[in-house]
Amino acid sequence: MADKVVLLDDYVSMFGMRARVALAEKGVEYEYREESLQAGKSPLLLQMNPVHKQVPVLIHNGNPISESLIIVEYIDEVWKDKCPDLLPAHPYQRAHARFWADFVDRKVYDAGRRLSGTKVEEQESGKKDFIAALKLLEGELGDNPYFGGENFGFLDVALIPFYTWFPAFETCGNFSTEEHCPKLISWARRCMERESVSKSLADPKKVYDFVLFLKKKYGGQ
Ligand SMILES: N[C@@H](CCC(=O)N[C@@H](CS)C(=O)NCC(=O)O)C(=O)O
């Protein structure tokens, strides 16, 4: 029997984009179900992710998998024969890739949320922390084409969706990521040359519109 794969997602979600990129890398066909979170959560989302009630959720033959990094690992393990593994083979390198992906969630996401948020007192510290986190990631990239070395891998999948949010962050914080982290921007452009990435990521203009919508909703300027 053919696999039935469904992705519950929100178009502008950086976490959902990770699942989309990983599925595209592996050439997995799936049904995309947009959860318009502003309009409320669907009964299916609440049933499939009763703990966090968040997207993305991957439903594979009826079994739900939540949390974007866990989803990417799951996709990598299940569709092994489709393309080179996203996670490295060596346990130390796997741990290293997971460490930096976790860093993206703790530092980059958190700083971006603050810098594009509505609390003026948090915006400046968010901007400072965002640039500092990207500089650390740029150091981790070094002179490699990808975080996975020569091959596009797990940390590339974890970070590249944030690139679609950069214009919104830059406009909110009045700065240029490229001025601070030119090598990281070259990396992002390299990733965008992959069809699996370019066809899976959101349009940055729509992301920016979403940020403006949130600002208006929660009372920012
Ligand atoms: N750690 C989660 C974060 C997921 C997340 O924050 N999803 C957001 C959309 S970007 C969501 O569903 N928000 C609705 C809510 O939290 O109620 C992951 O990596 O999947």
Side-chain angles (χ1 to χ4, degrees), residues 14 18 29 62 72 77 89 104 112-113 135 137 146 148 153 155-156 168 186 211:
M14 57 276 271
R18 288 174 173 168
E29 288 192 17
V72 173
E77 279 180 23
V104 171
R113 189 186 51 72
K135 277 183 184 286
L137 281 159
Y146 297 113
L155 182 52
D156 301 294
S186 301
V211 170

Side-chain angles (χ1 to χ4, degrees), residues 141 145 147 156 159-160 183-191:
L141 177 68
F147 284 98
D156 301 294
L159 183 61
I160 193 60
K183 279 191 187 170
L184 197 73
I185 295 298
S186 301
W187 159 84
R189 293 192 181 124
R190 193 172 305 120
C191 291

Side-chain angles (χ1 to χ4, degrees), residues 147-167:
F147 284 98
E150 290 303 312
N151 298 316
F152 182 81
F154 184 67
L155 182 52
D156 301 294
V157 178
L159 183 61
I160 193 60
F162 285 78
Y163 181 55
T164 65
W165 283 70
F166 282 11

Side-chain angles (χ1 to χ4, degrees), residues 10 12-16 18 37 41 45 52-56 66-69 71 105 109 165:
D10 181 331
V12 295
S13 168
M14 57 276 271
F15 303 109
R18 288 174 173 168
L37 294 174
K41 297 177 184 184
L45 175 60
H52 297 304
K53 307 177 178 66
Q54 290 181 323
V55 294
S66 298
E67 289 296 311
S68 58
L69 293 178
I71 292 172
D105 281 2
Y109 173 68
W165 283 70

